[in-house]
Amino acid sequence: KEDQILVYPLRVILDIPVSKLAGFTNTNSMDPFIDETANAIEISPSNPDAIQVGDVISYQTSYGVLIHRVIEKGVDEEGVYYLVKGDNNRFQDPFKVRFNDVQGVVVAVIY
């Protein structure tokens, strides 16, 4: 929110509780929104409803941690899932992301 951005002559402070800084590798999957020269601020979502279509999330996979955009949210016999896709990828990721795999939701990008 705008009131969480504090601008001073010598610094800018983002007042985002329980946040963490994230960096990126050069995979180009989220170009031009995020690339290796960017940093992001992430928050941990409190529950599955805190993640919506359009959010950019980081999540654990067998390949490591990935960061892609939620393009669909649904419910199946295992519960809530998210379908995700890199902005610069042609196809969505070939698996459902579960809430327990989500590490963070991007709330700010710093270039």
Side-chain angles (χ1 to χ4, degrees):
K1 296 180 183 176
E2 189 174 342
D3 64 351
Q4 292 174 282
I5 304 169
L6 309 171
V7 180
Y8 299 100
L10 298 177
R11 73 180 123 220
V12 173
I13 297 173
L14 302 177
D15 184 16
I16 305 171
V18 194
S19 59
K20 58 187 172 186
L21 190 64
F24 308 100
T25 58
N26 192 20
T27 66
N28 297 317
S29 70
M30 288 298 292
D31 284 353
F33 180 58
I34 297 173
D35 205 357
E36 67 180 324
T37 58
N39 292 287
I41 297 173
E42 294 182 331
I43 59 170
S44 295
S46 55
N47 60 62
D49 291 332
I51 301 171
Q52 301 300 320
V53 171
D55 287 346
V56 175
I57 61 172
S58 61
Y59 54 96
Q60 186 65 49
T61 72
S62 59
Y63 310 112
V65 177
L66 299 178
I67 184 161
H68 285 158
R69 189 176 306 277
V70 176
I71 60 169
E72 184 180 319
K73 180 178 177 180
V75 178
D76 63 12
E77 63 281 348
E78 295 180 41
V80 174
Y81 67 86
Y82 312 96
L83 298 181
V84 296
K85 177 183 168 296
D87 289 356
N88 198 36
N89 289 352
R90 190 170 177 179
F91 302 104
Q92 73 184 38
D93 294 2
F95 44 79
K96 295 176 179 177
V97 176
R98 301 294 175 172
F99 180 73
N100 289 342
D101 297 323
V102 176
Q103 295 189 345
V105 177
V106 172
V107 294
V109 177
I110 304 166
Y111 298 99

